[in-house]
């Protein structure tokens, strides 16, 4: 049972990246999927989530209108399309499978999760 975040890289301000969160050993769509990030010297923060079945989504205010989360059940993968990237988006990005896609759940996960896995580095140069 594993979640693998990938797709990070180095881009210039205003550029785009698409992150992937691929599950193995379980069906990701049976859960809500959340994307989180941790910038250097900062705590983890919720970025976006999508409910199982894709009926609802949530975005942090800082990424609304720039990021889009979506799922591909055939590939057992959830994507985070990141556009108009800013240096403030520089962080290691992680994905999680969780019970709900709500702002409250995102805060709970961000503040209580003990193990985050490897994550994928996103660096936005100015």
């Amino acid at each position: 049972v594993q979640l693998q975040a990938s797709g990070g890289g180095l881009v210039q301000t205003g550029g785009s990246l698409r992150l992937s969160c691929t599950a193995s050993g379980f069906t990701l769509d049976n859960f809500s999927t959340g994307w989180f990030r941790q910038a250097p010297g900062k705590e983890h923060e919720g970025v976006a989530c999508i409910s199982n079945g894709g009926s609802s989504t949530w975005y942090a205010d800082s990424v609304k209108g720039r990021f889009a989360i979506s799922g591909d059940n055939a590939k057992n993968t959830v994507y985070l399309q990141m556009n108009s990237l800013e240096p403030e988006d520089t962080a290691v990005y992680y994905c999680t499978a969780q019970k709900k896609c709500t702002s409250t759940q995102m805060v709970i996960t961000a503040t209580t999760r003990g193990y985050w896995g490897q994550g994928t580095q996103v660096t936005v140069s100015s």
Side-chain angles (χ1 to χ4, degrees):
V1 176
Q2 186 177 358
L3 275 178
Q4 180 66 53
S6 62
L10 172 64
V11 295
Q12 293 184 333
T13 297
S16 298
L17 284 173
R18 188 178 77 161
L19 305 185
S20 299
C21 175
T22 301
S24 57
F26 70 102
T27 301
L28 189 55
D29 195 46
N30 287 343
F31 300 87
S32 294
T33 302
W35 280 99
F36 297 80
R37 65 187 181 186
Q38 185 179 31
K42 295 187 177 180
E43 301 295 322
H44 288 89
E45 65 169 342
V47 175
C49 64
I50 186 168
S51 63
N52 59 307
S55 59
S56 64
T57 58
W58 173 90
Y59 296 93
D61 287 344
S62 59
V63 306
K64 280 181 182 176
R66 301 189 297 122
F67 290 12
I69 190 169
S70 62
D72 185 336
N73 292 340
K75 295 184 178 180
N76 213 18
T77 297
V78 166
Y79 301 102
L80 184 67
Q81 178 67 44
M82 306 188 297
N83 301 322
S84 302
L85 283 162
E86 304 167 352
E88 293 73 23
D89 296 315
T90 294
V92 179
Y93 284 71
Y94 304 88
C95 60
T96 67
Q98 54 193 51
K99 291 182 180 180
K100 302 177 183 179
C101 174
T102 63
S103 58
T104 300
Q105 182 64 59
M106 294 296 282
V107 170
I108 291 172
T109 301
T111 57
T112 65
R113 186 175 181 87
Y115 176 72
W116 287 92
Q118 188 172 0
T120 186
Q121 175 72 48
V122 172
T123 304
V124 185
S125 63
S126 57

